[in-house]
Amino acid sequence: MTDTPASVVERVYREHRARMLAALVRALGDFELAEDALQDACALALTRWDGATPDDPVAWLLTAARNRAIDRLRRARLDRRKTELIETEPVMEFDTERLAGVGDERLSLIFTCCHPALAEDVRVALTLQAVAGLTAGQIARTFLVGEATLAQRLVRAKRKIRDAGISLEVPADHLLPERLAGVLAVVYLIFTQGYTAAGHEMLRQEAIRLGKLIATLMPDEPEALGLVALLLLHDCRAAARYTSSGEVILLADQDRARWDRAEIAEAIGLLDRALRQGQPGPYQLQAAIAALHAQAPTAGETDWPGIAALYTELLAMTPSPVVALNRAVAVAMATTPTEGLALIERIDGLERYHLLHAARADLLRRLDRRDEAAAAYRRAHELAANPADRRFLAGRLLDLENTETT
Protein backbone atom coordinates (compact mmCIF):
# COMPACT_ATOMS: atom_id res chain seq x y z
CA MET A 1 0.00 0.00 0.00
CA THR A 2 1.38 3.40 -1.06
CA ASP A 3 1.89 5.93 1.69
CA THR A 4 -0.33 8.98 1.45
CA PRO A 5 1.07 12.49 2.04
CA ALA A 6 -0.88 12.57 5.31
CA SER A 7 0.66 9.31 6.54
CA VAL A 8 4.18 10.42 5.59
CA VAL A 9 3.80 13.79 7.29
CA GLU A 10 2.31 12.14 10.37
CA ARG A 11 5.19 9.66 10.58
CA VAL A 12 7.91 12.27 10.13
CA TYR A 13 6.24 14.54 12.68
CA ARG A 14 5.83 11.72 15.21
CA GLU A 15 9.42 10.50 14.86
CA HIS A 16 11.20 13.85 14.64
CA ARG A 17 8.88 16.38 16.35
CA ALA A 18 11.12 16.89 19.39
CA ARG A 19 14.23 17.34 17.24
CA MET A 20 12.52 19.82 14.95
CA LEU A 21 10.89 21.77 17.76
CA ALA A 22 14.20 21.95 19.62
CA ALA A 23 15.97 23.36 16.59
CA LEU A 24 13.21 25.90 15.96
CA VAL A 25 12.94 27.05 19.57
CA ARG A 26 16.69 27.43 19.73
CA ALA A 27 16.75 29.52 16.55
CA LEU A 28 13.61 31.59 17.19
CA GLY A 29 13.82 31.95 20.96
CA ASP A 30 10.04 31.61 21.17
CA PHE A 31 8.17 28.39 22.01
CA GLU A 32 4.80 29.54 20.70
CA LEU A 33 6.19 30.85 17.43
CA ALA A 34 8.22 27.65 16.91
CA GLU A 35 5.18 25.43 17.55
CA ASP A 36 2.91 27.46 15.28
CA ALA A 37 5.51 27.56 12.51
CA LEU A 38 6.03 23.80 12.68
CA GLN A 39 2.29 23.21 12.45
CA ASP A 40 2.14 25.56 9.45
CA ALA A 41 4.95 23.63 7.79
CA CYS A 42 3.16 20.30 8.33
CA ALA A 43 -0.04 21.72 6.85
CA LEU A 44 1.92 22.94 3.82
CA ALA A 45 3.56 19.53 3.43
CA LEU A 46 0.14 17.89 3.11
CA THR A 47 -0.40 19.82 -0.13
CA ARG A 48 3.18 19.80 -1.46
CA TRP A 49 4.15 16.16 -0.84
CA ASP A 50 1.47 14.60 -3.01
CA GLY A 51 3.43 11.96 -4.89
CA ALA A 52 6.78 13.63 -4.29
CA THR A 53 8.13 13.26 -0.77
CA PRO A 54 11.40 15.23 -0.33
CA ASP A 55 14.66 13.32 0.00
CA ASP A 56 15.13 14.90 3.43
CA PRO A 57 11.63 15.57 4.81
CA VAL A 58 12.95 16.85 8.16
CA ALA A 59 15.10 19.51 6.49
CA TRP A 60 12.14 20.43 4.23
CA LEU A 61 9.84 20.91 7.23
CA LEU A 62 12.42 22.95 9.13
CA THR A 63 13.03 25.23 6.17
CA ALA A 64 9.30 25.65 5.63
CA ALA A 65 8.80 26.36 9.33
CA ARG A 66 11.55 28.99 9.22
CA ASN A 67 9.83 30.72 6.35
CA ARG A 68 6.43 30.53 8.04
CA ALA A 69 7.91 32.03 11.22
CA ILE A 70 9.18 34.99 9.21
CA ASP A 71 5.76 35.36 7.58
CA ARG A 72 4.03 35.35 10.96
CA LEU A 73 6.34 38.02 12.31
CA ARG A 74 5.83 40.17 9.24
CA ARG A 75 2.05 39.81 9.31
CA ALA A 76 1.91 40.72 12.96
CA ARG A 77 4.25 43.66 12.35
CA LEU A 78 6.30 42.57 15.35
CA ASP A 79 9.93 43.25 16.02
CA ARG A 80 11.18 44.17 12.52
CA ARG A 81 14.76 43.91 13.68
CA LYS A 82 14.22 40.34 14.92
CA THR A 83 12.67 39.41 11.57
CA GLU A 84 15.70 40.70 9.72
CA LEU A 85 18.00 38.71 11.99
CA ILE A 86 16.09 35.50 11.36
CA GLU A 87 16.11 36.07 7.59
CA THR A 88 19.90 36.17 7.57
CA GLU A 89 20.55 33.66 10.38
CA PRO A 90 22.73 30.87 8.91
CA VAL A 91 21.86 28.43 11.72
CA MET A 92 18.42 27.99 10.12
CA GLU A 93 19.78 26.45 6.92
CA PHE A 94 19.43 22.97 8.50
CA ASP A 95 21.74 21.12 6.19
CA THR A 96 22.19 17.35 6.54
CA GLU A 97 25.48 17.65 8.43
CA ARG A 98 23.93 20.01 10.99
CA LEU A 99 20.90 17.78 11.50
CA ALA A 100 23.17 14.90 12.47
CA GLY A 101 24.13 16.88 15.58
CA VAL A 102 20.65 18.08 16.54
CA GLY A 103 20.67 15.83 19.62
CA ASP A 104 22.39 18.63 21.55
CA GLU A 105 19.45 20.87 20.72
CA ARG A 106 17.01 18.33 22.14
CA LEU A 107 19.07 18.39 25.31
CA SER A 108 18.87 22.19 25.43
CA LEU A 109 15.09 21.90 25.05
CA ILE A 110 14.88 19.59 28.07
CA PHE A 111 16.96 21.96 30.20
CA THR A 112 14.81 24.88 29.08
CA CYS A 113 11.58 23.09 30.02
CA CYS A 114 13.07 22.26 33.44
CA HIS A 115 14.47 25.74 34.13
CA PRO A 116 14.40 26.59 37.88
CA ALA A 117 12.58 29.85 37.13
CA LEU A 118 9.48 27.75 36.37
CA ALA A 119 7.31 26.12 39.02
CA GLU A 120 7.80 22.36 39.41
CA ASP A 121 4.34 21.39 38.12
CA VAL A 122 4.89 23.62 35.08
CA ARG A 123 8.27 22.01 34.40
CA VAL A 124 6.62 18.60 34.35
CA ALA A 125 3.79 19.70 32.07
CA LEU A 126 6.06 21.60 29.68
CA THR A 127 8.47 18.67 29.40
CA LEU A 128 5.60 16.29 28.67
CA GLN A 129 4.27 18.58 25.96
CA ALA A 130 7.41 19.92 24.31
CA VAL A 131 9.73 16.92 24.63
CA ALA A 132 7.40 13.92 24.99
CA GLY A 133 4.74 15.24 22.61
CA LEU A 134 1.67 14.85 24.83
CA THR A 135 -1.24 17.19 24.22
CA ALA A 136 -2.54 19.63 26.82
CA GLY A 137 -5.65 17.46 27.10
CA GLN A 138 -3.64 14.32 27.82
CA ILE A 139 -1.55 16.08 30.46
CA ALA A 140 -4.61 17.65 32.07
CA ARG A 141 -6.38 14.29 32.36
CA THR A 142 -3.28 12.71 33.84
CA PHE A 143 -2.94 15.28 36.60
CA LEU A 144 -6.70 15.86 37.10
CA VAL A 145 -6.53 19.51 36.02
CA GLY A 146 -8.93 21.31 33.71
CA GLU A 147 -7.63 21.38 30.13
CA ALA A 148 -8.13 25.13 29.83
CA THR A 149 -6.28 25.71 33.09
CA LEU A 150 -3.40 23.50 32.01
CA ALA A 151 -3.23 25.15 28.59
CA GLN A 152 -2.99 28.59 30.20
CA ARG A 153 -0.15 27.41 32.45
CA LEU A 154 1.75 26.20 29.42
CA VAL A 155 1.18 29.45 27.54
CA ARG A 156 2.38 31.51 30.51
CA ALA A 157 5.46 29.29 30.89
CA LYS A 158 6.42 29.65 27.23
CA ARG A 159 5.97 33.41 27.34
CA LYS A 160 8.01 33.61 30.52
CA ILE A 161 10.85 31.78 28.77
CA ARG A 162 10.63 34.23 25.88
CA ASP A 163 10.15 37.45 27.84
CA ALA A 164 12.73 36.65 30.52
CA GLY A 165 15.28 35.75 27.88
CA ILE A 166 15.90 32.34 29.43
CA SER A 167 18.86 30.81 27.64
CA LEU A 168 18.06 27.91 25.34
CA GLU A 169 21.39 26.28 26.06
CA VAL A 170 22.78 23.39 28.05
CA PRO A 171 24.11 25.05 31.24
CA ALA A 172 27.79 25.84 31.66
CA ASP A 173 29.90 23.24 33.47
CA HIS A 174 29.83 25.05 36.81
CA LEU A 175 26.01 25.15 36.75
CA LEU A 176 25.45 21.70 35.31
CA PRO A 177 25.30 19.56 38.50
CA GLU A 178 22.49 21.61 40.06
CA ARG A 179 20.57 22.03 36.81
CA LEU A 180 20.92 18.36 35.86
CA ALA A 181 19.56 17.36 39.27
CA GLY A 182 16.45 19.43 38.52
CA VAL A 183 16.01 17.80 35.12
CA LEU A 184 16.35 14.29 36.54
CA ALA A 185 13.89 15.15 39.31
CA VAL A 186 11.28 16.10 36.69
CA VAL A 187 11.79 12.81 34.86
CA TYR A 188 11.47 10.90 38.13
CA LEU A 189 8.26 12.78 38.99
CA ILE A 190 6.79 11.84 35.61
CA PHE A 191 7.67 8.19 36.18
CA THR A 192 6.31 8.21 39.73
CA GLN A 193 2.98 9.57 38.54
CA GLY A 194 2.76 6.76 36.00
CA TYR A 195 3.87 4.15 38.53
CA THR A 196 1.53 5.05 41.38
CA ALA A 197 -1.64 5.99 39.46
CA ALA A 198 -3.62 3.31 37.66
CA GLY A 199 -4.08 3.84 33.93
CA HIS A 200 -1.03 6.08 33.51
CA GLU A 201 1.37 3.48 32.14
CA MET A 202 2.19 5.80 29.23
CA LEU A 203 3.91 8.16 31.66
CA ARG A 204 6.25 5.40 32.84
CA GLN A 205 7.34 4.73 29.29
CA GLU A 206 7.75 8.43 28.49
CA ALA A 207 9.88 8.93 31.60
CA ILE A 208 12.10 5.99 30.66
CA ARG A 209 12.43 7.33 27.12
CA LEU A 210 13.36 10.79 28.41
CA GLY A 211 15.83 9.33 30.88
CA LYS A 212 17.50 7.29 28.15
CA LEU A 213 17.70 10.35 25.90
CA ILE A 214 19.45 12.34 28.63
CA ALA A 215 21.79 9.45 29.46
CA THR A 216 22.63 8.99 25.77
CA LEU A 217 23.36 12.67 25.24
CA MET A 218 25.26 12.98 28.56
CA PRO A 219 27.06 9.61 28.83
CA ASP A 220 29.59 10.90 31.39
CA GLU A 221 26.91 11.81 33.95
CA PRO A 222 26.59 8.80 36.29
CA GLU A 223 23.40 10.05 37.95
CA ALA A 224 21.63 10.08 34.57
CA LEU A 225 22.61 6.43 34.12
CA GLY A 226 21.59 5.71 37.71
CA LEU A 227 18.15 7.21 37.19
CA VAL A 228 17.47 5.12 34.08
CA ALA A 229 18.59 2.01 35.95
CA LEU A 230 16.26 2.89 38.83
CA LEU A 231 13.28 3.45 36.51
CA LEU A 232 13.88 0.15 34.73
CA LEU A 233 14.18 -1.74 38.02
CA HIS A 234 10.82 -0.37 39.14
CA ASP A 235 9.20 -0.85 35.75
CA CYS A 236 10.32 -4.48 35.52
CA ARG A 237 7.79 -5.37 38.25
CA ALA A 238 4.82 -3.64 36.60
CA ALA A 239 3.08 -6.84 35.49
CA ALA A 240 3.29 -8.37 38.98
CA ARG A 241 2.18 -5.43 41.16
CA TYR A 242 -1.59 -5.95 40.87
CA THR A 243 -4.00 -8.85 40.52
CA SER A 244 -6.21 -9.15 37.45
CA SER A 245 -8.93 -7.37 39.44
CA GLY A 246 -6.62 -4.49 40.36
CA GLU A 247 -5.72 -5.47 43.92
CA VAL A 248 -2.27 -4.59 45.32
CA ILE A 249 0.34 -7.36 45.56
CA LEU A 250 3.16 -6.58 47.97
CA LEU A 251 6.74 -6.95 46.75
CA ALA A 252 7.31 -10.02 48.94
CA ASP A 253 4.26 -11.75 47.45
CA GLN A 254 4.83 -10.95 43.79
CA ASP A 255 5.37 -13.70 41.22
CA ARG A 256 8.99 -13.08 40.29
CA ALA A 257 8.59 -15.08 37.12
CA ARG A 258 6.52 -12.16 35.84
CA TRP A 259 9.29 -9.64 36.38
CA ASP A 260 10.86 -8.40 33.14
CA ARG A 261 14.32 -9.99 33.15
CA ALA A 262 15.44 -8.05 30.08
CA GLU A 263 14.79 -4.75 31.86
CA ILE A 264 16.62 -6.03 34.94
CA ALA A 265 19.66 -7.00 32.87
CA GLU A 266 19.67 -3.63 31.08
CA ALA A 267 19.38 -1.79 34.40
CA ILE A 268 22.22 -3.73 36.03
CA GLY A 269 24.46 -2.93 33.07
CA LEU A 270 23.66 0.79 33.30
CA LEU A 271 24.18 0.79 37.07
CA ASP A 272 27.57 -0.91 36.69
CA ARG A 273 28.60 1.75 34.15
CA ALA A 274 27.52 4.50 36.52
CA LEU A 275 29.24 3.08 39.59
CA ARG A 276 32.51 2.55 37.70
CA GLN A 277 32.78 6.33 37.39
CA GLY A 278 33.30 6.53 41.16
CA GLN A 279 30.79 9.34 41.78
CA PRO A 280 27.93 7.71 43.70
CA GLY A 281 24.76 9.76 43.95
CA PRO A 282 21.18 9.36 45.21
CA TYR A 283 19.80 7.75 42.05
CA GLN A 284 22.66 5.28 41.88
CA LEU A 285 22.12 4.30 45.52
CA GLN A 286 18.38 3.88 44.99
CA ALA A 287 19.08 1.79 41.89
CA ALA A 288 21.52 -0.36 43.88
CA ILE A 289 18.78 -0.98 46.47
CA ALA A 290 16.28 -1.90 43.74
CA ALA A 291 18.90 -4.18 42.17
CA LEU A 292 19.26 -6.16 45.40
CA HIS A 293 15.51 -6.74 45.38
CA ALA A 294 15.49 -7.66 41.70
CA GLN A 295 18.39 -10.10 41.95
CA ALA A 296 17.07 -12.04 44.96
CA PRO A 297 15.72 -15.43 43.74
CA THR A 298 12.96 -15.31 46.38
CA ALA A 299 11.70 -12.77 48.88
CA GLY A 300 13.22 -14.84 51.67
CA GLU A 301 16.66 -14.52 50.11
CA THR A 302 16.64 -10.72 49.90
CA ASP A 303 19.84 -9.12 51.20
CA TRP A 304 18.16 -6.95 53.84
CA PRO A 305 21.40 -6.08 55.68
CA GLY A 306 22.83 -4.81 52.38
CA ILE A 307 19.66 -2.82 51.66
CA ALA A 308 19.69 -1.31 55.17
CA ALA A 309 23.34 -0.30 54.71
CA LEU A 310 22.56 1.38 51.37
CA TYR A 311 19.66 3.27 52.92
CA THR A 312 21.96 4.44 55.70
CA GLU A 313 24.33 5.81 53.06
CA LEU A 314 21.45 7.38 51.14
CA LEU A 315 20.09 9.01 54.30
CA ALA A 316 23.49 10.56 55.00
CA MET A 317 23.64 11.88 51.43
CA THR A 318 20.04 13.13 51.12
CA PRO A 319 18.42 13.42 54.56
CA SER A 320 14.65 13.10 54.27
CA PRO A 321 11.89 11.53 56.36
CA VAL A 322 10.84 9.25 53.47
CA VAL A 323 14.36 7.82 53.19
CA ALA A 324 14.41 7.45 56.99
CA LEU A 325 11.15 5.48 56.79
CA ASN A 326 12.51 3.17 54.10
CA ARG A 327 15.65 2.63 56.14
CA ALA A 328 13.57 1.80 59.23
CA VAL A 329 11.63 -0.85 57.30
CA ALA A 330 14.87 -2.34 55.96
CA VAL A 331 16.37 -2.41 59.47
CA ALA A 332 13.24 -4.18 60.74
CA MET A 333 13.65 -6.82 58.05
CA ALA A 334 17.38 -7.17 58.67
CA THR A 335 17.13 -7.30 62.49
CA THR A 336 13.86 -7.21 64.46
CA PRO A 337 10.50 -5.41 64.21
CA THR A 338 11.29 -3.73 67.52
CA GLU A 339 14.41 -2.02 66.14
CA GLY A 340 12.57 -0.88 63.02
CA LEU A 341 9.62 0.42 65.00
CA ALA A 342 11.91 2.42 67.28
CA LEU A 343 13.34 4.16 64.21
CA ILE A 344 9.87 4.90 62.82
CA GLU A 345 8.73 6.45 66.08
CA ARG A 346 11.57 9.00 65.79
CA ILE A 347 10.60 10.22 62.30
CA ASP A 348 9.05 13.69 62.07
CA GLY A 349 7.22 15.27 59.17
CA LEU A 350 5.28 12.28 57.82
CA GLU A 351 2.16 12.49 59.97
CA ARG A 352 -0.03 12.63 56.85
CA TYR A 353 1.95 10.09 54.80
CA HIS A 354 -0.12 6.92 54.68
CA LEU A 355 2.88 4.64 54.10
CA LEU A 356 4.38 5.60 57.46
CA HIS A 357 1.23 4.48 59.26
CA ALA A 358 1.00 1.35 57.10
CA ALA A 359 4.61 0.39 57.88
CA ARG A 360 4.09 1.09 61.58
CA ALA A 361 0.89 -1.00 61.54
CA ASP A 362 2.71 -3.93 59.96
CA LEU A 363 5.48 -3.89 62.57
CA LEU A 364 2.96 -3.58 65.42
CA ARG A 365 1.07 -6.54 63.99
CA ARG A 366 4.24 -8.60 63.88
CA LEU A 367 4.85 -7.70 67.53
CA ASP A 368 1.27 -8.83 68.37
CA ARG A 369 0.28 -5.32 69.50
CA ARG A 370 -3.07 -5.69 67.77
CA ASP A 371 -5.01 -2.69 69.08
CA GLU A 372 -2.19 -0.32 68.15
CA ALA A 373 -1.81 -2.04 64.78
CA ALA A 374 -5.52 -1.67 64.04
CA ALA A 375 -5.42 2.04 64.89
CA ALA A 376 -2.42 2.53 62.59
CA TYR A 377 -4.12 0.66 59.73
CA ARG A 378 -7.21 2.88 60.14
CA ARG A 379 -5.08 6.00 59.98
CA ALA A 380 -3.25 4.75 56.89
CA HIS A 381 -6.60 3.97 55.25
CA GLU A 382 -7.87 7.49 55.99
CA LEU A 383 -4.83 9.09 54.38
CA ALA A 384 -4.40 6.83 51.32
CA ALA A 385 -5.56 8.40 48.05
CA ASN A 386 -5.12 5.47 45.67
CA PRO A 387 -8.28 3.28 45.68
CA ALA A 388 -6.19 0.09 45.37
CA ASP A 389 -4.12 1.10 48.41
CA ARG A 390 -7.29 1.83 50.38
CA ARG A 391 -8.73 -1.59 49.53
CA PHE A 392 -5.50 -3.28 50.54
CA LEU A 393 -5.37 -1.50 53.88
CA ALA A 394 -9.04 -2.23 54.55
CA GLY A 395 -8.30 -5.89 53.89
CA ARG A 396 -5.37 -5.87 56.30
CA LEU A 397 -7.53 -4.31 58.99
CA LEU A 398 -10.30 -6.84 58.41
CA ASP A 399 -7.83 -9.73 58.62
CA LEU A 400 -6.51 -8.34 61.89
CA GLU A 401 -9.99 -7.95 63.36
CA ASN A 402 -11.04 -11.44 62.22
CA THR A 403 -7.93 -12.93 63.84
CA GLU A 404 -8.81 -11.23 67.11
CA THR A 405 -12.26 -12.85 67.18
CA THR A 406 -11.09 -16.42 66.54
Side-chain angles (χ1 to χ4, degrees):
M1 182 177 178
T2 304
D3 287 336
T4 65
S7 66
V8 175
V9 172
E10 192 277 334
R11 185 178 67 250
V12 173
Y13 180 81
R14 183 181 66 250
E15 294 176 359
H16 302 286
R17 182 201 57 78
R19 298 174 62 204
M20 293 188 293
L21 182 61
L24 289 167
V25 171
R26 183 183 178 95
L28 298 171
D30 187 326
F31 258 104
E32 290 182 284
L33 180 59
E35 289 173 328
D36 290 343
L38 184 56
Q39 290 297 325
D40 288 347
C42 289
L44 182 63
L46 291 175
T47 63
R48 297 286 181 84
W49 291 7
D50 189 6
T53 302
D55 293 336
D56 191 340
V58 172
W60 191 100
L61 286 171
L62 286 169
T63 301
R66 166 192 179 276
N67 294 334
R68 287 297 182 258
I70 294 171
D71 290 343
R72 280 178 172 270
L73 288 172
R74 281 175 172 160
R75 286 197 303 269
R77 297 183 178 180
L78 293 175
D79 199 346
R80 173 67 62 180
R81 181 170 174 271
K82 181 176 180 180
T83 302
E84 292 169 355
L85 285 172
I86 293 173
E87 287 179 321
T88 59
E89 177 58 70
V91 77
M92 292 294 288
E93 291 301 321
F94 297 114
D95 58 33
T96 303
E97 182 178 351
R98 176 170 173 73
L99 284 170
V102 81
D104 289 342
E105 295 187 348
R106 286 189 295 174
L107 193 59
S108 72
L109 182 62
I110 294 172
F111 273 95
T112 301
C113 292
C114 297
H115 196 279
L118 304 174
E120 187 175 80
D121 60 336
V122 174
R123 295 181 218 170
V124 170
L126 192 57
T127 301
L128 286 172
Q129 186 192 57
V131 185
L134 274 64
T135 66
Q138 289 174 311
I139 301 167
R141 287 190 294 274
T142 295
F143 292 97
L144 303 179
V145 177
E147 183 172 349
T149 299
L150 191 282
Q152 282 301 311
R153 288 180 188 172
L154 290 170
V155 168
R156 287 195 295 269
K158 293 167 187 175
R159 290 177 181 173
K160 183 173 184 176
I161 289 171
R162 180 195 64 199
D163 297 341
I166 291 174
S167 174
L168 302 171
E169 304 284 346
V170 175
D173 288 347
H174 69 285
L175 297 174
L176 190 58
E178 181 179 355
R179 290 289 304 280
L180 178 60
V183 170
L184 298 181
V186 166
V187 174
Y188 196 26
L189 280 171
I190 293 170
F191 180 88
T192 301
Q193 179 68 19
Y195 193 71
T196 57
H200 293 166
E201 292 82 2
M202 174 181 62
L203 288 184
R204 296 203 319 267
Q205 299 310 313
E206 286 298 341
I208 291 171
R209 189 181 68 81
L210 288 171
K212 287 183 175 181
L213 174 61
I214 295 166
T216 298
L217 298 175
M218 305 181 76
D220 296 327
E221 293 294 337
E223 277 291 82
L225 295 169
L227 176 61
V228 178
L230 176 62
L231 302 188
L232 291 171
L233 288 166
H234 284 318
D235 192 64
C236 76
R237 301 195 299 267
R241 295 177 62 228
Y242 296 96
T243 67
S244 57
S245 59
E247 302 306 315
V248 171
I249 304 176
L250 293 182
L251 177 61
D253 300 323
Q254 290 175 10
D255 179 0
R256 297 180 178 228
R258 300 189 66 194
W259 290 1
D260 189 326
R261 294 294 160 184
E263 281 194 314
I264 293 173
E266 182 182 2
I268 298 301
L270 290 170
L271 180 58
D272 286 344
R273 280 177 54 197
L275 293 174
R276 282 199 298 270
Q277 297 188 41
Q279 303 173 54
Y283 291 118
Q284 295 169 73
L285 289 175
Q286 291 177 74
I289 291 166
L292 289 181
H293 283 296
Q295 292 175 306
T298 67
E301 297 173 88
T302 302
D303 181 7
W304 284 110
I307 290 173
L310 286 168
Y311 270 124
T312 298
E313 188 175 349
L314 181 62
L315 185 61
M317 185 178 293
T318 57
S320 86
V322 173
V323 175
L325 174 60
N326 290 330
R327 175 177 176 268
V329 172
V331 168
M333 298 299 296
T335 57
T336 66
T338 300
E339 291 190 40
L341 185 61
L343 292 173
I344 287 179
E345 303 292 12
R346 295 203 292 265
I347 296 173
D348 293 322
L350 294 182
E351 292 79 9
R352 299 193 60 79
Y353 187 52
H354 83 277
L355 291 179
L356 178 137
H357 298 283
R360 184 170 176 273
D362 185 62
L363 296 182
L364 289 166
R365 178 182 58 79
R366 290 166 60 189
L367 292 169
D368 205 30
R369 294 162 59 176
R370 295 176 180 275
D371 290 343
E372 294 172 89
Y377 276 129
R378 291 189 190 97
R379 183 58 176 153
H381 182 268
E382 290 172 2
L383 294 171
N386 187 314
D389 290 341
R390 290 175 60 83
R391 291 193 300 271
F392 173 80
L393 291 164
R396 277 295 171 101
L397 180 58
L398 183 61
D399 289 345
L400 187 64
E401 292 172 342
N402 288 340
T403 302
E404 289 178 349
T405 61
T406 57

